[in-house]
Amino acid sequence: MKSLQHTLFVSLIVVSLTPTYHGVEIIGGHEVEPHSKPYMVSIQKDECGKKSNTHYCGGALIRSGWVLTAAHCQSKGSIRVVLGAHSLSRNEKSQQKLQVKEQHPHPQFNKKTKENDIMLLELSNDAKINKDVKLLQLPKDKDADVKPGTRCTVAGWGVRTAKSNSPSDTLREVMLNVIDRKTCNSKDYYNRKPVVTKDMICASDSKGREDAAKGDSGGPLICDSKFKGIVSYGPRKPTAKKPGIYTLISKKYLDWIQKIIGIQTYNMTTEGFY
Protein backbone atom coordinates (compact mmCIF):
# COMPACT_ATOMS: atom_id res chain seq x y z
CA MET A 1 0.00 0.00 0.00
CA LYS A 2 2.81 2.38 0.91
CA SER A 3 4.48 1.59 -2.41
CA LEU A 4 1.26 2.43 -4.30
CA GLN A 5 0.84 5.70 -2.39
CA HIS A 6 4.44 6.63 -3.14
CA THR A 7 3.95 5.88 -6.84
CA LEU A 8 0.82 8.02 -7.00
CA PHE A 9 2.55 10.86 -5.18
CA VAL A 10 5.59 11.05 -7.43
CA SER A 11 3.34 10.97 -10.51
CA LEU A 12 1.75 14.27 -9.54
CA ILE A 13 2.75 17.38 -11.43
CA VAL A 14 2.62 20.60 -9.50
CA VAL A 15 2.62 24.01 -11.08
CA SER A 16 4.41 26.45 -8.81
CA LEU A 17 5.82 29.94 -9.16
CA THR A 18 7.96 31.73 -6.61
CA PRO A 19 7.05 35.31 -5.61
CA THR A 20 10.11 36.60 -7.44
CA TYR A 21 9.21 34.67 -10.59
CA HIS A 22 12.23 32.42 -10.59
CA GLY A 23 10.54 29.72 -12.56
CA VAL A 24 8.24 26.80 -12.74
CA GLU A 25 9.15 22.89 -12.44
CA ILE A 26 7.92 19.47 -13.67
CA ILE A 27 6.99 17.04 -10.91
CA GLY A 28 6.59 13.50 -12.14
CA GLY A 29 6.09 12.82 -15.83
CA HIS A 30 8.71 10.60 -17.41
CA GLU A 31 12.34 10.86 -18.39
CA VAL A 32 12.88 11.54 -22.08
CA GLU A 33 15.23 9.60 -24.31
CA PRO A 34 18.65 11.28 -23.92
CA HIS A 35 19.22 14.08 -26.44
CA SER A 36 15.85 13.52 -28.12
CA LYS A 37 15.04 17.21 -27.57
CA PRO A 38 18.24 18.91 -28.79
CA TYR A 39 16.66 22.37 -28.69
CA MET A 40 16.21 22.32 -24.90
CA VAL A 41 18.19 24.84 -22.86
CA SER A 42 19.03 24.90 -19.15
CA ILE A 43 19.33 28.48 -17.87
CA GLN A 44 21.63 28.73 -14.86
CA LYS A 45 22.98 31.32 -12.44
CA ASP A 46 25.57 31.55 -9.69
CA GLU A 47 24.23 30.90 -6.20
CA CYS A 48 26.07 32.23 -3.17
CA GLY A 49 27.85 29.46 -1.28
CA LYS A 50 27.49 26.92 -4.09
CA LYS A 51 30.38 25.62 -6.15
CA SER A 52 28.49 25.36 -9.42
CA ASN A 53 25.78 27.14 -11.36
CA THR A 54 22.17 26.31 -10.50
CA HIS A 55 19.41 25.53 -13.00
CA TYR A 56 16.40 27.78 -12.48
CA CYS A 57 14.61 28.10 -15.85
CA GLY A 58 14.30 26.41 -19.20
CA GLY A 59 14.31 27.74 -22.74
CA ALA A 60 14.58 26.86 -26.41
CA LEU A 61 17.39 27.57 -28.87
CA ILE A 62 15.77 29.38 -31.82
CA ARG A 63 18.92 30.70 -33.52
CA SER A 64 22.57 29.82 -32.97
CA GLY A 65 23.01 32.92 -30.81
CA TRP A 66 19.51 33.30 -29.33
CA VAL A 67 17.37 31.52 -26.73
CA LEU A 68 13.63 32.10 -26.20
CA THR A 69 12.34 31.88 -22.64
CA ALA A 70 9.95 33.59 -20.18
CA ALA A 71 10.34 37.22 -19.05
CA HIS A 72 9.97 36.24 -15.41
CA CYS A 73 13.22 34.28 -15.80
CA GLN A 74 15.12 37.56 -16.00
CA SER A 75 18.00 37.69 -13.51
CA LYS A 76 19.90 40.65 -12.06
CA GLY A 77 23.15 38.69 -11.97
CA SER A 78 25.11 36.97 -14.72
CA ILE A 79 23.59 33.85 -16.21
CA ARG A 80 24.65 31.15 -18.62
CA VAL A 81 22.93 28.53 -20.75
CA VAL A 82 23.74 24.85 -21.08
CA LEU A 83 22.94 23.25 -24.43
CA GLY A 84 23.05 19.60 -25.47
CA ALA A 85 22.37 18.34 -21.94
CA HIS A 86 20.40 15.39 -20.66
CA SER A 87 21.93 15.10 -17.20
CA LEU A 88 22.85 18.36 -15.46
CA SER A 89 25.30 16.69 -13.05
CA ARG A 90 27.31 14.62 -15.51
CA ASN A 91 30.12 16.06 -17.59
CA GLU A 92 28.55 15.11 -20.91
CA LYS A 93 30.70 15.67 -24.00
CA SER A 94 27.60 16.87 -25.84
CA GLN A 95 27.16 19.91 -23.58
CA GLN A 96 27.92 23.48 -24.61
CA LYS A 97 28.05 26.14 -21.90
CA LEU A 98 27.68 29.74 -23.03
CA GLN A 99 27.35 33.01 -21.16
CA VAL A 100 24.37 35.28 -21.78
CA LYS A 101 25.47 38.58 -23.26
CA GLU A 102 22.17 40.40 -22.82
CA GLN A 103 18.64 39.75 -21.59
CA HIS A 104 15.75 41.15 -23.64
CA PRO A 105 12.47 40.81 -21.68
CA HIS A 106 9.34 41.99 -23.45
CA PRO A 107 8.91 45.70 -22.61
CA GLN A 108 5.24 45.21 -21.67
CA PHE A 109 5.77 42.22 -19.38
CA ASN A 110 3.41 42.51 -16.40
CA LYS A 111 4.21 40.44 -13.29
CA LYS A 112 0.70 40.88 -11.90
CA THR A 113 -1.36 39.96 -14.98
CA LYS A 114 1.26 37.53 -16.41
CA GLU A 115 0.90 39.24 -19.80
CA ASN A 116 3.79 39.32 -22.28
CA ASP A 117 5.80 36.75 -20.33
CA ILE A 118 8.43 36.26 -23.01
CA MET A 119 12.15 37.05 -23.24
CA LEU A 120 15.07 36.65 -25.62
CA LEU A 121 18.55 35.81 -24.40
CA GLU A 122 21.42 36.97 -26.57
CA LEU A 123 24.38 34.62 -26.21
CA SER A 124 28.00 35.75 -25.98
CA ASN A 125 28.95 33.25 -28.71
CA ASP A 126 27.03 31.23 -31.26
CA ALA A 127 26.17 27.66 -30.39
CA LYS A 128 27.63 24.91 -32.57
CA ILE A 129 24.73 23.16 -34.26
CA ASN A 130 25.15 19.38 -34.33
CA LYS A 131 23.19 16.19 -33.59
CA ASP A 132 22.86 17.11 -29.89
CA VAL A 133 22.26 20.86 -30.28
CA LYS A 134 19.63 21.96 -32.80
CA LEU A 135 17.26 24.84 -33.40
CA LEU A 136 13.55 24.78 -32.60
CA GLN A 137 11.58 26.38 -35.40
CA LEU A 138 9.18 29.15 -34.43
CA PRO A 139 5.53 28.79 -35.52
CA LYS A 140 4.09 30.54 -38.53
CA ASP A 141 1.92 33.52 -37.60
CA LYS A 142 -1.07 32.33 -39.66
CA ASP A 143 -1.62 29.24 -37.46
CA ALA A 144 -0.40 30.56 -34.14
CA ASP A 145 -3.41 29.60 -31.98
CA VAL A 146 -3.98 26.12 -30.59
CA LYS A 147 -7.41 24.48 -30.57
CA PRO A 148 -8.90 23.24 -27.26
CA GLY A 149 -8.32 19.52 -26.80
CA THR A 150 -4.99 19.59 -28.63
CA ARG A 151 -2.43 17.23 -27.10
CA CYS A 152 0.83 18.94 -26.14
CA THR A 153 4.06 18.14 -24.33
CA VAL A 154 6.28 20.21 -22.08
CA ALA A 155 9.75 19.25 -20.90
CA GLY A 156 12.18 20.50 -18.27
CA TRP A 157 14.57 19.83 -15.44
CA GLY A 158 12.16 21.00 -12.72
CA VAL A 159 11.60 19.30 -9.37
CA ARG A 160 10.00 15.87 -9.27
CA THR A 161 8.06 16.15 -5.99
CA ALA A 162 6.12 18.97 -4.34
CA LYS A 163 8.44 19.00 -1.30
CA SER A 164 11.67 19.14 -3.28
CA ASN A 165 13.66 22.31 -3.91
CA SER A 166 16.19 20.67 -6.21
CA PRO A 167 15.77 20.36 -9.98
CA SER A 168 15.63 17.00 -11.69
CA ASP A 169 19.06 15.82 -12.80
CA THR A 170 17.68 14.48 -16.09
CA LEU A 171 15.27 15.98 -18.61
CA ARG A 172 11.64 14.93 -18.13
CA GLU A 173 8.36 15.63 -19.92
CA VAL A 174 4.59 15.44 -19.44
CA MET A 175 1.58 15.26 -21.77
CA LEU A 176 -1.11 17.95 -21.54
CA ASN A 177 -4.44 18.93 -23.12
CA VAL A 178 -5.30 22.49 -24.17
CA ILE A 179 -8.35 23.97 -22.41
CA ASP A 180 -10.49 26.68 -24.01
CA ARG A 181 -10.00 30.20 -22.63
CA LYS A 182 -13.67 30.69 -21.71
CA THR A 183 -13.54 27.69 -19.41
CA CYS A 184 -10.17 28.73 -18.01
CA ASN A 185 -11.51 32.21 -17.17
CA SER A 186 -14.74 30.89 -15.60
CA LYS A 187 -15.57 31.11 -11.88
CA ASP A 188 -14.81 27.42 -11.40
CA TYR A 189 -11.32 27.88 -12.81
CA TYR A 190 -9.19 31.07 -12.60
CA ASN A 191 -12.19 33.43 -12.35
CA ARG A 192 -10.18 35.93 -14.44
CA LYS A 193 -7.45 36.11 -11.77
CA PRO A 194 -5.35 36.28 -13.87
CA VAL A 195 -7.24 36.81 -17.11
CA VAL A 196 -6.27 34.23 -19.71
CA THR A 197 -5.91 36.39 -22.83
CA LYS A 198 -5.79 35.49 -26.52
CA ASP A 199 -2.00 35.54 -26.18
CA MET A 200 -2.03 32.75 -23.59
CA ILE A 201 -2.72 29.01 -23.59
CA CYS A 202 -4.37 27.04 -20.79
CA ALA A 203 -3.26 23.40 -20.57
CA SER A 204 -3.30 20.52 -18.08
CA ASP A 205 -4.13 16.85 -17.88
CA SER A 206 -7.80 15.96 -17.32
CA LYS A 207 -7.26 15.04 -13.66
CA GLY A 208 -5.03 17.98 -12.77
CA ARG A 209 -2.17 15.70 -11.82
CA GLU A 210 0.32 16.68 -14.51
CA ASP A 211 1.66 20.04 -15.64
CA ALA A 212 4.75 22.21 -15.65
CA ALA A 213 5.96 23.88 -12.47
CA LYS A 214 8.92 25.66 -10.77
CA GLY A 215 12.16 25.23 -12.68
CA ASP A 216 10.42 24.60 -16.02
CA SER A 217 9.51 28.25 -16.60
CA GLY A 218 10.52 29.44 -20.03
CA GLY A 219 10.54 25.95 -21.51
CA PRO A 220 8.76 25.22 -24.80
CA LEU A 221 5.22 23.88 -25.13
CA ILE A 222 5.11 21.57 -28.15
CA CYS A 223 1.71 20.88 -29.76
CA ASP A 224 1.36 18.64 -32.82
CA SER A 225 5.17 18.73 -33.19
CA LYS A 226 5.15 22.54 -33.33
CA PHE A 227 6.57 25.14 -30.93
CA LYS A 228 3.44 26.91 -29.70
CA GLY A 229 4.01 28.26 -26.22
CA ILE A 230 6.28 29.09 -23.30
CA VAL A 231 5.83 27.87 -19.71
CA SER A 232 4.64 30.90 -17.73
CA TYR A 233 2.44 30.45 -14.66
CA GLY A 234 0.41 28.06 -12.51
CA PRO A 235 -0.86 27.42 -8.96
CA ARG A 236 1.21 25.84 -6.20
CA LYS A 237 -1.01 22.76 -5.78
CA PRO A 238 -2.16 20.45 -8.62
CA THR A 239 -5.81 20.73 -9.60
CA ALA A 240 -7.75 20.16 -12.81
CA LYS A 241 -9.37 23.59 -12.41
CA LYS A 242 -6.12 25.50 -12.11
CA PRO A 243 -4.32 24.55 -15.34
CA GLY A 244 -0.88 25.77 -16.32
CA ILE A 245 -0.77 29.03 -18.27
CA TYR A 246 1.56 29.34 -21.23
CA THR A 247 2.53 32.32 -23.35
CA LEU A 248 1.18 31.70 -26.86
CA ILE A 249 3.76 32.54 -29.51
CA SER A 250 1.36 34.73 -31.45
CA LYS A 251 2.02 37.08 -34.37
CA LYS A 252 2.65 40.04 -32.08
CA TYR A 253 5.45 38.12 -30.36
CA LEU A 254 6.86 36.87 -33.66
CA ASP A 255 7.00 40.50 -34.82
CA TRP A 256 8.72 41.50 -31.57
CA ILE A 257 11.27 38.68 -31.94
CA GLN A 258 11.93 39.77 -35.51
CA LYS A 259 12.52 43.35 -34.31
CA ILE A 260 15.05 42.22 -31.68
CA ILE A 261 16.88 39.59 -33.71
CA GLY A 262 16.60 41.42 -37.00
CA ILE A 263 15.31 38.56 -39.14
CA GLN A 264 11.91 37.47 -40.41
CA THR A 265 11.36 34.75 -37.82
CA TYR A 266 8.27 33.04 -39.12
CA ASN A 267 9.70 32.50 -42.61
CA MET A 268 12.94 30.97 -41.37
CA THR A 269 14.16 27.81 -43.05
CA THR A 270 13.89 24.56 -41.14
CA GLU A 271 17.65 24.07 -41.18
CA GLY A 272 18.71 22.68 -37.83
CA PHE A 273 15.10 21.91 -36.82
CA TYR A 274 14.77 18.72 -34.80
Side-chain angles (χ1 to χ4, degrees):
M1 187 66 174
K2 288 184 178 180
S3 176
L4 176 60
Q5 289 175 337
H6 177 73
T7 301
L8 291 173
F9 176 72
V10 297
S11 69
L12 293 179
I13 305 291
V14 177
V15 180
S16 170
L17 204 60
T18 68
T20 51
Y21 278 75
H22 279 170
V24 198
E25 63 236 16
I26 287 180
I27 301 174
H30 62 272
E31 185 175 341
V32 306
E33 181 182 347
H35 310 294
S36 60
K37 299 181 183 296
Y39 51 81
M40 285 297 299
V41 176
S42 168
I43 303 174
Q44 305 181 353
K45 60 182 177 179
D46 289 320
E47 294 281 5
C48 293
K50 294 187 177 181
K51 295 181 179 180
S52 60
N53 290 54
T54 302
H55 168 89
Y56 75 99
C57 271
L61 187 69
I62 60 169
R63 296 296 284 178
S64 58
W66 294 87
V67 168
L68 189 62
T69 185
H72 76 255
C73 291
Q74 184 178 16
S75 176
K76 293 181 180 179
S78 63
I79 59 176
R80 73 174 186 181
V81 300
V82 178
L83 313 170
H86 178 65
S87 166
L88 296 180
S89 66
R90 299 170 195 159
N91 188 23
E92 299 169 322
K93 292 181 179 180
S94 59
Q95 292 186 13
Q96 298 180 38
K97 300 174 182 179
L98 300 171
Q99 290 298 125
V100 172
K101 178 181 178 181
E102 190 169 352
Q103 301 173 59
H104 300 268
H106 194 282
Q108 274 82 54
F109 169 54
N110 189 311
K111 291 183 180 181
K112 183 177 181 180
T113 66
K114 326 302 180 193
E115 293 179 281
N116 306 306
D117 193 6
I118 185 170
M119 178 170 66
L120 283 162
L121 299 179
E122 184 177 0
L123 305 182
S124 58
N125 295 292
D126 285 353
K128 295 178 181 179
I129 307 302
N130 54 41
K131 66 182 181 64
D132 297 316
V133 176
K134 295 184 180 181
L135 307 181
L136 182 59
Q137 185 184 19
L138 290 168
K140 296 179 180 179
D141 64 323
K142 64 181 181 180
D143 60 358
D145 206 1
V146 185
K147 294 180 180 179
T150 300
R151 196 77 166 148
C152 305
T153 63
V154 63
W157 287 274
V159 300
R160 295 177 58 184
T161 68
K163 295 182 179 180
S164 175
N165 289 318
S166 300
S168 169
D169 178 55
T170 54
L171 185 63
R172 302 175 70 82
E173 73 173 349
V174 293
M175 300 290 294
L176 308 171
N177 294 310
V178 174
I179 301 170
D180 69 274
R181 296 181 183 92
K182 184 177 180 180
T183 298
C184 213
N185 279 318
S186 68
K187 291 183 179 180
D188 290 336
Y189 281 68
Y190 275 107
N191 195 26
R192 301 179 65 83
K193 298 178 182 178
V195 175
V196 179
T197 72
K198 62 181 178 59
D199 293 310
M200 299 176 185
I201 299 173
C202 237
S204 182
D205 78 325
S206 59
K207 297 180 180 180
R209 292 182 176 180
E210 297 186 338
D211 216 322
K214 183 181 176 183
D216 291 318
S217 284
L221 180 72
I222 308 295
C223 304
D224 293 330
S225 300
K226 296 179 181 179
F227 186 13
K228 307 301 290 187
I230 298 169
V231 180
S232 177
Y233 171 80
R236 185 168 294 278
K237 295 182 180 181
T239 167
K241 294 188 175 181
K242 288 291 186 293
I245 296 177
Y246 301 77
T247 300
L248 172 67
I249 306 177
S250 58
K251 184 180 184 301
K252 85 169 189 176
Y253 295 133
L254 290 171
D255 290 342
W256 172 76
I257 293 169
Q258 177 185 341
K259 181 180 178 182
I260 300 297
I261 295 181
I263 58 173
Q264 192 170 350
T265 55
Y266 43 83
N267 281 334
M268 290 193 307
T269 67
T270 57
E271 182 181 357
F273 180 54
Y274 76 101

